[in-house]
């Protein structure tokens, strides 16, 4: 009987909100793929919305907020996450856990570090992040989801 109860508790997954900034759809695809994989791990996705029009209710309901954007720069220098100011100004993030991801074409440079700092500036506790190559969206989304599940179940 206690065993059954334990299984029931373990099945109550993490609640995650996802916020995305995407110009040509790669980051949105990575977000959807990651959301599917997390749902398979019994996480609930409270919402998938745009960084510039965030679904605030989905953030409030979430334990963890995933924030994704794309790398903008001159490909070999000056890489930065797009919409970084919108990210730093997100409300309702204090007390939440967060993770960042950015999609890129050739080289992400320091974009992930900059994104991670912006996410940290919201007051959220950043548990991790990943730069996702646009030519390996599926593979890298799987790695991202696996790491999230690993870090939140061992934390
Ligand atoms: C104006 C512009 C600048 C870019 N600069 C870089 C760059 O410096 N380094 C890089 O690896 N990718 C760069 N990219 C590629 C994008 O980061 C990549 O295609 C990303 O997956 C786009 O995401 P999205 O489809 O969600 O908009 C650039 C794309 C654009 C449109």
């Amino acid at each position: 009987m206690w065993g059954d109860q334990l299984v029931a508790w373990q099945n109550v997954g993490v609640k995650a909100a996802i916020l995305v900034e995407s110009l040509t759809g790669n980051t949105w695809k990575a977000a959807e793929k990651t959301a599917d994989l997390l749902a398979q791990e019994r996480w609930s996705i409270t919402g998938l919305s745009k960084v510039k029009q965030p679904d605030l209710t989905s953030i409030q309901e979430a334990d963890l907020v995933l924030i994704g954007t794309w790398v903008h720069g001159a490909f070999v220098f000056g890489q930065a996450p797009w919409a970084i100011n919108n990210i730093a100004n997100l409300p309702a993030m204090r007390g939440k856990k967060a993770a960042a991801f950015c999609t890129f074409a050739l080289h992400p440079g320091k974009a992930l570090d900059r994104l991670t700092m912006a996410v940290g500036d919201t007051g959220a506790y950043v548990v991790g992040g990943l730069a996702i190559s646009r030519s390996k969206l599926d593979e890298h989304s799987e790695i991202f989801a696996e790491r999230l599940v690993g870090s939140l179940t061992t934390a």
Side-chain angles (χ1 to χ4, degrees):
M1 182 169 168
W2 281 108
D4 292 347
Q5 186 62 66
L6 196 60
V7 170
W9 283 331
Q10 282 168 343
N11 286 350
V12 177
V14 177
K15 285 187 241 158
I18 309 183
L19 303 179
V20 177
E21 172 65 29
S22 182
L23 183 69
T24 60
N26 296 328
T27 315
W28 196 268
K29 266 187 225 154
E32 285 181 334
K33 176 85 188 163
T34 304
D36 283 350
L37 293 165
L38 294 174
Q40 284 171 30
E41 298 290 333
R42 299 176 189 278
W43 285 33
S44 3
I45 308 301
T46 59
L48 172 58
S49 61
K50 296 180 182 174
V51 168
K52 288 179 181 165
Q53 294 156 280
D55 174 353
L56 297 179
T57 311
S58 77
I59 300 178
Q60 268 159 6
E61 286 172 359
D63 313 305
L64 172 78
V65 183
L66 305 181
I67 301 181
T69 188
W70 55 282
V71 173
H72 174 270
F75 286 86
V76 284
F77 65 90
Q79 294 97 334
W82 191 248
I84 194 159
N85 293 332
N86 298 83
I87 290 162
N89 290 326
L90 281 171
M93 296 285 289
R94 197 159 292 278
K96 307 280 178 193
K97 289 178 179 149
F101 63 102
C102 57
T103 68
F104 67 96
L106 292 178
H107 200 290
K110 290 194 166 34
L112 182 65
D113 292 345
R114 296 168 82 167
L115 177 58
T116 304
M117 280 179 67
V119 174
D121 284 347
T122 64
Y125 173 70
V126 184
V127 297
L130 189 69
I132 293 178
S133 166
R134 72 177 182 190
S135 60
K136 294 184 181 166
L137 285 182
D138 282 358
E139 188 186 328
H140 287 175
S141 300
E142 275 171 33
I143 293 170
F144 188 45
E146 265 169 31
R147 285 194 193 170
L148 288 170
V149 170
S151 70
L152 268 88
T153 46
T154 53

